[in-house]
C-alpha cells in the first residue's frame, strides 16, 4: 500500500505517503500529532514539505477544535480547469499573443482590477457577511488591508503571486484546457493572519502548553471559535468565486487570439487549503486539508505539476486512510531562497523549453527543479486517485 512511513511519536500516528520527507516537516507533523483533539491519525500526502505554521500536505482531523495556522493564510487556495472544444493543431504557431491576452485581462501579484468585474449580486452577498458579521465583530481586520472594500471587490478575478498561475494546456487527446491556481487574495491573507494571532493570544491567556506556538487553536464553544469558522468559510467562498470570475475573464480574453471554441466540460473547482466538516472513522470532525484536495470516490480533482511539468485531472478513490484526500501538487523540495541560489535564468529557459512563459530572474524560485518530480508524487498515491487526463502546459502566466 502507498503509506510509506509511519510516525509514532505523538498522541496519534502519522501516516506518510512518501519516504522523502525533510526532518523539519517530520517535526511539524509530530507536533500536530501531539495535540489532544486530533482524531485517529494524521495523513501526510506524497508532496509533503515544511510549511509556515503547519506542514504543507497534511490532512488533520480534529474534534472540537480548529488550528488556524493549519488552514493557513491563503484560505481556500485551489485549482480550476476547463476543457475547450479546440485541438492542439488549431492553436497558432506563436502563442505569445495568447499569453499577452491573459496578462492584460488578469492582474497579478498585489494588483487589482481598475473597477469591480464580478457580478453585483456576488459583491452584495459577500459584503453583507464580511461587513456586518466579520469586520463588524473584528474591526482590526479592516485596518490590516488598505482600502479594504475597494481591494477585496476589485481583486475578485485576479491571480496573486508566488506559485499561483494560469496555463493553457494540452491533454493526451490533444484537447486544449485552461487551468489556473489561486486563492482568497489580500482579504483571505489578513483574515488568516488576524485569527492566527488571535488564537495565539487566547492560548497565552489560558497558559495552555503547546508543542509549538504556531499550533494555537480555538476550541468549540470558546469566545472566538464561531467567529473564526464564519470567517474561514467566507474566505473559502471568496476564493471559489475568485477562480470562477478569473476563468470567465480568461475565456473572454483568449477568444481573440484563438480560433472559435465552445466550453465542452464544466469547470472542476477545488480547494486545497481549507477546513470542512466531514465524517471519518465513525466521528464528525473538522477536517483541515493544508495542501491537499478532497478525493472521495468518483470525485474529480486537479493535481498540478511545476511550471514546465505535467499536471493531472484525477478521480478520487475514497481511501479512508488518507481521509479521502490526495496531494495538491508536486510539492517543493527546496525553499525559494535555496532555488534562487541553486538555479540561474539560463536554467529557467532550459527547464521551461517549449512553454510560452516568463523566463526572467524573478521566476527562478518557481523553476521546475525546485519541486518534487510530479510522476513520483503520482506513483506514491496510486490508491488515492486514478488519472483521468494528463495535461502539459504550452502557455504559463505566473503571478
Amino acid at each position: 500500500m502507498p503509506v510509506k512511513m509511519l510516525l509514532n511519536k505523538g498522541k496519534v500516528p502519522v501516516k506518510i505517503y512518501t519516504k522523502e520527507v525533510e526532518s523539519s516537516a517530520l517535526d511539524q507533523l509530530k507536533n500536530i500529532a501531539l495535540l489532544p483533539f486530533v482524531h485517529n491519525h494524521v495523513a501526510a500526502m506524497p508532496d509533503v514539505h515544511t510549511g509556515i505554521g503547519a506542514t504543507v500536505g497534511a490532512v488533520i482531523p480534529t474534534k472540537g477544535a480548529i488550528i488556524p495556522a493549519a488552514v493557513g493564510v491563503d484560505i481556500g487556495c485551489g485549482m480550476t480547469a476547463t476543457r475547450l472544444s479546440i485541438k492542439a493543431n488549431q492553436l497558432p504557431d506563436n502563442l505569445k499573443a495568447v499569453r499577452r491576452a491573459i496578462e492584460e485581462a488578469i492582474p497579478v501579484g498585489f494588483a487589482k482590477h481598475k473597477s469591480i468585474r464580478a457580478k453585483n449580486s456576488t459583491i452584495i452577498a459577500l459584503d453583507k457577511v464580511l461587513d456586518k458579521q466579520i469586520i463588524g465583530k473584528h474591526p482590526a481586520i479592516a485596518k490590516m488591508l488598505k482600502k479594504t472594500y475597494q481591494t477585496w471587490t476589485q481583486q475578485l478575478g485576479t491571480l496573486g503571486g508566488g506559485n499561483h498561475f494560469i496555463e493553457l494546456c494540452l491533454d493526451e487527446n490533444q484537447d486544449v484546457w485552461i487551468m489556473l491556481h489561486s486563492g482568497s487574495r489580500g482579504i483571505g491573507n489578513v483574515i488568516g493572519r488576524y485569527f492566527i494571532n488571535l488564537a495565539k493570544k487566547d492560548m497565552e491567556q489560558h497558559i495552555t502548553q503547546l508543542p509549538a506556538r504556531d499550533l494555537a487553536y480555538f476550541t468549540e464553544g470558546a469566545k472566538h471559535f464561531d467567529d473564526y469558522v464564519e470567517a474561514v468559510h467566507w474566505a473559502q467562498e471568496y476564493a471559489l468565486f475568485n477562480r470562477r470570475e478569473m476563468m470567465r475573464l480568461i475565456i473572454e480574453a483568449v477568444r481573440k487570439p484563438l480560433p472559435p471554441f465552445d466550453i465542452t466540460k464544466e469547470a472542476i473547482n477545488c480547494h486545497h487549503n481549507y477546513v470542512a466538516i466531514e465524517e471519518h472513522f465513525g466521528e464528525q470532525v473538522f477536517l483541515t486539508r493544508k495542501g491537499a484536495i478532497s478525493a472521495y470516490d468518483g470525485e474529480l480533482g486537479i493535481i498540478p505539476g511545476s511550471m514546465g511539468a505535467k499536471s493531472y485531472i484525477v478521480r478520487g478513490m475514497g481511501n479512508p486512510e488518507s481521509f479521502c484526500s490526495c496531494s495538491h501538487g508536486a510539492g517543493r523540495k527546496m525553499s525559494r531562497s535555496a532555488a534562487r541560489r541553486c538555479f540561474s535564468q539560463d536554467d529557467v529557459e532550459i527547464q521551461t523549453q517549449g512553454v510560452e512563459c516568463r523566463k526572467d530572474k524573478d521566476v527562478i524560485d518557481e523553476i521546475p527543479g525546485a519541486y518534487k518530480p510530479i510522476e513520483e508524487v503520482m506513483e506514491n498515491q496510486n490508491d488515492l486517485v486514478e488519472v483521468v487526463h494528463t495535461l502539459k502546459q504550452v502557455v504559463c502566466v505566473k503571478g
Side-chain angles (χ1 to χ4, degrees), residues 124-189:
I124 291 171
L126 287 170
D127 187 44
K128 182 178 180 181
V129 176
L130 179 65
D131 186 50
K132 297 290 189 289
Q133 296 168 235
I134 299 174
I135 292 177
K137 297 176 184 176
H138 300 274
I141 291 173
K143 297 177 183 177
M144 296 171 66
L145 187 65
K146 189 177 180 180
K147 297 181 179 178
T148 308
Y149 179 82
Q150 183 185 69
T151 299
W152 77 257
T153 55
Q154 292 175 210
Q155 280 190 337
L156 267 176
T158 66
L159 186 63
N163 62 353
H164 294 157
F165 63 80
I166 301 164
E167 292 182 344
L168 195 74
C169 303
L170 306 178
D171 70 11
E172 70 285 351
N173 300 314
Q174 298 299 292
D175 287 326
V176 178
W177 291 70
I178 298 171
M179 181 173 72
L180 66 89
H181 172 207
S182 190
S184 52
R185 305 297 282 111
I187 187 64
N189 181 280

Side-chain angles (χ1 to χ4, degrees), residues 89-111:
N89 61 10
Q90 296 175 266
L91 295 177
D93 292 336
N94 190 327
L95 293 169
K96 184 168 286 187
V98 178
R99 177 162 75 98
R100 294 299 185 204
I102 295 170
E103 290 173 339
E104 287 173 11
I106 306 296
V108 304
F110 294 106

Side-chain angles (χ1 to χ4, degrees), residues 114-357:
K114 293 179 180 178
S115 61
I116 296 171
R117 301 299 304 272
K119 293 179 181 178
N120 192 46
S121 57
T122 298
I123 298 295
I124 291 171
L126 287 170
D127 187 44
K128 182 178 180 181
V129 176
L130 179 65
D131 186 50
K132 297 290 189 289
Q133 296 168 235
I134 299 174
I135 292 177
K137 297 176 184 176
H138 300 274
I141 291 173
K143 297 177 183 177
M144 296 171 66
L145 187 65
K146 189 177 180 180
K147 297 181 179 178
T148 308
Y149 179 82
Q150 183 185 69
T151 299
W152 77 257
T153 55
Q154 292 175 210
Q155 280 190 337
L156 267 176
T158 66
L159 186 63
N163 62 353
H164 294 157
F165 63 80
I166 301 164
E167 292 182 344
L168 195 74
C169 303
L170 306 178
D171 70 11
E172 70 285 351
N173 300 314
Q174 298 299 292
D175 287 326
V176 178
W177 291 70
I178 298 171
M179 181 173 72
L180 66 89
H181 172 207
S182 190
S184 52
R185 305 297 282 111
I187 187 64
N189 181 280
V190 298
I191 287 172
R193 287 191 289 119
Y194 174 81
F195 280 101
I196 288 169
N197 289 330
L198 189 59
K200 290 177 180 178
K201 290 176 183 176
D202 285 359
M203 302 249 67
E204 288 167 359
Q205 288 176 4
H206 292 89
I207 322 175
T208 304
Q209 288 294 109
L210 286 170
R213 187 169 181 265
D214 283 330
L215 296 179
Y217 54 86
F218 296 120
T219 54
E220 202 164 5
K223 182 178 179 182
H224 297 119
F225 181 88
D226 290 341
D227 291 352
Y228 177 67
V229 170
E230 184 170 47
V232 79
H233 285 156
W234 183 92
Q236 289 169 192
E237 186 175 32
Y238 179 93
L240 193 73
F241 285 137
N242 181 45
R243 291 191 290 274
R244 285 178 181 166
E245 182 66 17
M246 217 183 319
M247 183 62 77
R248 181 183 69 80
L249 294 172
I250 294 164
I251 289 170
E252 287 178 5
V254 300
R255 286 197 182 277
K256 185 175 180 180
L258 293 181
F261 62 82
D262 295 317
I263 307 301
T264 63
K265 190 176 182 66
E266 185 178 351
I268 305 162
N269 201 335
C270 56
H271 295 320
H272 55 225
N273 281 352
Y274 71 112
V275 61
I277 298 172
E278 299 182 12
E279 185 170 318
H280 293 278
F281 294 95
E283 297 283 353
Q284 193 174 75
V285 298
F286 294 102
L287 192 72
T288 298
R289 293 184 175 96
K290 184 181 178 75
I293 65 171
S294 179
Y296 278 88
D297 189 26
E299 184 177 17
L300 291 175
I302 306 165
I303 303 175
S306 60
M307 181 173 68
K310 294 176 183 176
S311 297
Y312 298 89
I313 306 297
V314 298
R315 183 179 291 112
M317 298 171 72
N319 191 310
E321 293 300 306
S322 70
F323 302 101
C324 299
S325 306
C326 67
S327 81
H328 81 312
R332 297 193 74 92
K333 67 179 181 183
M334 63 174 67
S335 68
R336 294 185 182 278
S337 58
R340 286 190 288 269
R341 289 193 302 270
C342 290
F343 297 106
S344 68
Q345 190 172 336
D346 287 343
D347 294 322
V348 174
E349 292 181 2
I350 292 167
Q351 293 187 29
T352 60
Q353 192 170 6
V355 182
E356 173 58 48
C357 64

